[in-house]
Amino acid sequence: MPESRNGMSTVGAVLVVGAGISGMQSALDLAEAGFRVHLVDEAWAIGGTMAQLDKTFPTNDCAMCILSPKLVEAGRHLNIQLHPGTVLERLEGEPGRFRAILRRKARYVDVDKCTACGDCLAPCPVELPNPFDGNLGVRKAIYKLYPQAIPNAFAIEKRGVSPCRKACPAGVNAHAYVALLRSGRIKEAWQVIMRTLPFPSVCGRVCTHPCEEECFRGQVDRPVAIRDLKRAIADWMAEHPDQMELEPCQERLKGRVAVVGAGPAGLTAAYQLARRGVSVTVFEALPVLGGMMRVGIPAFRLPREVLDREIRFILSLGIEVRLNSALGRDFTLDELFEDGYQSIIVATGAHVSQRAGLPGEELEGVFHGVDFLRSVNLGRSPRLGGRVAVIGGGNTALDAARTALRLGAESVCVYYRRSRAEMPASDEEVEQARAEGVQFSFLCSPVALVGRNGRVTQLRLVRNRLAEPDASGRRRPVPVEGSEYHVDVDAVILAIGQRPSSEALRQAGLAVDGRGLVVSGPDGRTSREGVYAGGDVTTGPATVVEAVAAGNRVAAAVAAVLRGEVGEQGMGGPNEERRVAPFPADVVPVPRERARPRELPPGVRRTNFDEVVGGLSLEEAVAEAERCLNCGGCSECLQCVPACRPAAIDHHQEDQLEEIEVGAVILSAGFELFDARLKGEYGFGRYPNVITSMQFERMLSASGPWEGHVRRPSDGRPPRRIAFIQCVGSRDLRGGYRHCSGVCCMYTAKEAIIAKEHVPGLEVTVFCMDVRAYGKEFERYYQRAQEEYGVRYVRSMVASVKEIPDSRNLLLRYSTEDGQLREEEFDLVVLAVGIRPSSAGVETARRLGVQTDEDGLLRTRELEPGLTSRPGVFVAGALAGPKDIPETVTEASAVAALAAAQLAEARGQLAREPRYPPERSVEGEPPRVGVFVCHCGINIAGTVDVEAVVEHARGLPDVVWAEDLLFTCSQDSIALIKERVGEHQLNRVVVASCTPRTHEPLFQNTIREAGLNPHLFEMTNIREQSSWVHRELPERATDKACDLVSMAVAKARLLRPVPARHFEVDPRALVIGGGLAGMTASLCLAAQGFEVYLVERERELGGMARRVKYTVGGDDPSGLVDRLIGEVLGNPRIRVYLNHQVEETAGYVGNYVTVLRGGDDSRRTEIRHGAVIIATGAREATTDQYLYGRHPRVVTQLELEEMLASGKLAGCRVVMIQCVGSRTPQRPYCSRICCAEAVKNAVRIRERYPASSVVIFYRDIRTYGLLEEHYRRARERGVLFIRYDPEQPPEVRPDGDQLLVCGRDPATGWSLEMEADLLVLSPGVEPQDGTIQLSRLFKLPLTEDGFFAEAHMKLRPVDFAADGVYLCGLAHGPKLMQESITQARAAAMRAAVLLGKGRLEARGIVAYVRERACSGCGLCVKSCPYDARQIDPESKKARVTEVLCQGCGACVVACPNGASQQAGFSKEQILAMVEAALR
Amino acid sequence: MDWVAVEREEGQSPGDFEPRIVALLCNWCSYTGADLAGTSRIQYPPNIRVIRVMCSGSVDPMYILKAILEGADGVLIGGCHAGDCHYINGNYKARRRVAIARRVLDQLGLDGRRVWFRFISASEGRLFAETVREMVAQLKEIGPNPMRDRWEL
């Protein structure tokens, strides 16, 4: 291990936090350069926001198409370890050797086992809004982030315990059974209930439903009717007894347990133990089972047959019952132990009525609540008489009152000592009692019962008032002196409480407290070994569900003992330690009435004991279940567990901490979108037809919620008039972000164009301030949007959006540029929301001690992009400021270069080499072709009949296997192809999917991993070249796809393996251009250990940067340039050639020979190198407009800057004109930097010369991204900005020594005329002289504007299409200094990846010679443009120098004998394709 | 031309005839342009079957003749624009060869207008689609390749 300066060894690994396009690029560059990379992301898959995008501007490339190969590459790279669902918690140590502590979130799915088959989806009953689709669509609680996700595996979304479930004492999973009911799976719902509650019918009727009190739906309108849903499930099951089958119990226990008491607690305990195989006997003192459920609760609340049914089911598990067996009377605990019971559960309840201690309590006609109910319920109805008084306020009192009515009492009145509000009875029961005619008298207490002839006749009471709250929290009743009164009665029922029969318990040897309750621990353990107690006997009177909870707890404790576990069982409720889910913020609930079960009419019900409340029908119940908000995310119904055949699901996973060692850290967590709800005036979240740009993007995407159909959310109709509102949350000091988000103008142009392609006749209007089309090719795109697609741009900010009730259209109110108020109607409004650094990323940065600014940005010093405040920690992408994809990718490569330079000594230390299986020889084998046809989701399958293509392929000669795949490029499909190669002994593979230009390497690698030579692969493009271009003609598109497959197979049959050949890479680089970019790139390469030749045609280094006197942020570039010059000249690895130019160059990637000419003696120098970086810059454009060159007071911005630097400003009335020559038909691009330049100079003038005035005529102020703050500063300093239209540019006239500038103010419509001492023009940026020559020398393409054209606008921004040549600085296009620095580092990194490799594999398409047929005529030698051919002097046959051969095939045509051939494109192969095409 | 007349007599209007076109497109420009037509969803008639070659300069006139002899109604060769060839000058070679092939076909009485050469860059998806559209229209005018029926004879 290499030692670093401080004696500690450097770790050759880098941690990249954030796996969007930025993180992936950094990771791939570093991994390719020989470092180990840990790629961490909070999400369950890599890809970031780009994966959500439909298209990319300005090329309209499909985002997923260009991203997907990168996903796969990052996912399968040997030196990249993915850490999905992971956050960086802490970072210790120092640069070069950090210790990173990672927290991996519980995924609940084992990524290694998951095959992404999706079998878990169907059983999952929970649908949640899909944030990937901007919450427009739904996804299941178990989900894959998106179809192409890497890693290709599911995850489960758990947000915490649902409040209903947490509230249930018995831990009944209400969320799960409601969700299952909603999806129509009643049996499964019942099974979920039966996990913890064997009395669903009972509790579905009499439960006090604490779940409903906590239900978050109650915050929207009213709680979900959870209890009624439980009843609906249980009653449906009762009607379908054949379905009554418990889930198989995992555990089998042995043992004998006695349960004393057959109430809800005892029976629950018996049930739970019997399910686990325990032999259980239940002893019951009464002649009936059910305890208080039977003798306490009247039949009109709980019909006897319902109770019987449920008890019958419990007993059917094999539980033995002994009725009329009371503890202490008929048996003792000792006897039970003697009989061989290992454990005894005492659950005898609280059946003894509390005495009131009133005078006359012994009179005839005085009853006690539970005794009274027990008598009635056991069929012994006492005589009551006409007037009945009930004392008490609990459910027992009300049950007694309502029972009394049904027994024939004429009037029943309940007397309660406090007020209605304090009454403990449930509201429903109070209401039902009232409806039946029960009267209530509050705030009175009985003082005596008076009788005549031994029978009660009068109840004496005293009135109360309420004092301060007592220990129970309820206000204490205090008798009011002198308020005694009496009522005449025939019977009095005292229902003031009950307690256990403590005598028997004490005799049984159990410790009993002062209230007569058995003393027990949390798990039910009593003072006697082996004896457990639970239910009312330990707590006093409570609810059925609490008794059930106790039964569960005690059973669990006993089960633990039977299992042989020792010690105290921490038997908290099942959810006690788990966090309650927060209110689901992503749900927009539509208020909906709660279901109401039917009730018998009160007049009818007081005449009998029939059940008062009816149940919901199944349909009503399902509809009610739909009101559930799925607060917890996953409901833990566990239906996915048995559905998953690979057994990948583990609901018990927990977060895990992991520690890794890395040398450097890159933060690239990206951005998040502005929350449009914060801009209430636009109505987002209230009006369904106001959506965000991300929602619209998903709507446009073929893989989006509506498969690419543009619809109004309110009614699904295609919109006719769409309005885009720009700068929602951007450039906004009132609640939004202050900066410009940099990308919205362009993504809006893109979405507008794509939408117009989707919906014929669509009208699109964009409301905006400035249109910031400042990037390469952006201005053309913006022009196309207007001219070709007819997108209308209105310069105005919209004041408000109002919905028109009937049509749900939207009325936009805005003021035009000249101040008129307008209203316009649209049927869909898209809010172009701004971006800000991801809050998770900012939090991570702060945890690491990295400084962030008040906006959360990891802002870097202006000329030190990529460096954070903590050494060894770098930042890339939108965390440091808003940027588009190419800028992000460039930055990602640039910080990779910084990290690679820092860890240069450890390069290769931890890297692993790819290992392929030995290549299988297919020599002599007949062709065995496998064909794989891709659906590409619906991209292909939506038009082409993929199954028909497969069927067609099956009939082709030598095809032994054909099948269709949803996404052939996904990880599981790749694995499957490899499997098929082995399974069917395939020796040729054909994939029919998208373009081979992006995907061929992936599939070639796939078959290589399957042991085949990569050249035994052929790909055909049925997407870009069939399904996408023949959408209206599906049948003919299918025919074409069949033909294309025939052609590919015809060629594949003739493919031959091409042996791998390698050639060396010269590790030196040539950098052309000694300006800021060239010097930065050179130093960056040198820091990574590579030697550099730096060529500059001027006599000194520095280039354009020398003319920049200060940056827009106020930094001094000259210091930087001087420092760079010093470093370059002093660096032993950099050889500088000043006053030199490239004269000629030859060679190819890894092996160039370039001739330089220069110096004072025009010397010729030949250098050898492996890579080239083009950094030749650009120049300020020339102009002759506005008197430039003809009037001394007309200057350019650069000239002004020089004046300002030297302190010689010629006059203080300054007028500036922007876009001089830019954005014109002659020079249609935007020069990007002029606005910032003008703002910079304007601010400086105003600050230096307070008497000055500055007026800027502009078309759009394009101070993109963080530059916005300088624009704002300019306005604050009094700089006057006047917009002009290109049709009406300002006019300039000489006025003697002065100038006269005339223009029109669009805000007022007035013509302006102003005198100026100085007119400053922004003529823009032009390609450097010599660009065309250089492009010819190195065969490099130029854009229409004459700048160098990179390989790919989005994902290869600093590469050229030709390998080995890279691009940076203004040669690529206009840009600011910091952007040039970043790009230079990126180019250096890309070159370093190549140079560090040592050797490259030769391309597989080189020419070869069939010597037998060669006549040695030499025609091929003449035709080869690369000098790759000679005639061998010995054999007189042609020969190929393979490293020089570029595979153009010119020699193949030239050869008259067919001796000259090209691997992969031989004549017989092409001819076979021609034949197949026409068959 | 006789064959067209025969078909017309048999009641087939030239509009019903769908020409079959084989295209040989260079990997760097024209094939990429055809891809761009796809990514831009520019619709064009599905009469074309594309063979990807590395360079238009590798297109042997034999491929063209073979296609016509096999009954193709048209052959399109696409290469990079002048000066843009990835392999220096392959596109010029192709253009020359196509001119010769057309003359040979004319000599054989097979109407050299069936063979087209076009410069189509990677960014010209629309041009590619338009080229196919134009070619289909012209081939409908010219009528079916008589070779198709001659083989059957």
Side-chain angles (χ1 to χ4, degrees), chain B residues 5 13 27 29 36 39 124:
Chain B
S13 75
N27 178 64
C29 294
L36 181 61
T39 35
E124 291 173 330

Side-chain angles (χ1 to χ4, degrees), chain A residues 180-213:
Chain A
L180 285 164
L181 169 66
R182 177 184 194 157
S183 68
R185 270 166 301 162
I186 320 298
K187 174 185 169 181
E188 287 78 7
W190 175 80
Q191 285 176 333
V192 164
I193 301 172
M194 293 296 283
R195 283 178 197 156
T196 46
L197 170 67
F199 294 106
S201 297
V202 173
C203 284
R205 288 167 166 80
V206 303
C207 188
T208 49
H209 53 66
C211 49
E212 293 185 23
E213 317 313 322

Side-chain angles (χ1 to χ4, degrees), chain A residues 995 1021 1028 1030-1031 1043, chain B residues 35 43-44 47 49 60 66:
Chain A
T995 177
N1021 185 350
W1028 279 356
H1030 312 309
R1031 277 193 299 216
D1043 284 352
Chain B
D35 276 352
Q43 304 295 303
Y44 58 84
N47 300 52
R49 305 291 180 264
D60 196 312
K66 171 80 171 174

Side-chain angles (χ1 to χ4, degrees), chain A residues 882-919:
Chain A
K883 43 187 72 76
D884 65 10
I885 293 171
E887 290 172 318
T888 300
V889 171
T890 305
E891 246 182 47
S893 288
V895 294
L898 293 175
Q902 188 187 306
L903 308 178
E905 58 193 16
R907 175 194 292 273
Q909 172 203 91
L910 298 171
R912 300 176 199 163
E913 285 295 312
R915 235 176 258 149
Y916 294 106
E919 201 170 291

Side-chain angles (χ1 to χ4, degrees), chain A residues 49 69 82 281 521 610 634 676 737 779 836 970 995 1236 1244 1266 1325:
Chain A
T49 310
L82 299 185
T281 310
D610 290 350
C634 167
Y737 315 141
E779 178 69 18
R836 63 170 298 156
S970 66
T995 177
R1244 183 152 285 224
L1266 304 183
V1325 179

Side-chain angles (χ1 to χ4, degrees), chain A residues 170 179 273 279 392 437 588 604 615 634 640 642 651 798 814 821 906 929 937 1003 1018 1067 1080 1140 1260 1294 1321 1323:
Chain A
L273 290 168
S279 157
V588 187
V604 175
C634 167
C640 51
H651 279 273
V798 174
Y814 64 96
L821 209 60
V929 185
F1003 296 122
E1018 180 64 16
T1080 304
H1140 272 70
D1260 294 279
L1321 307 180

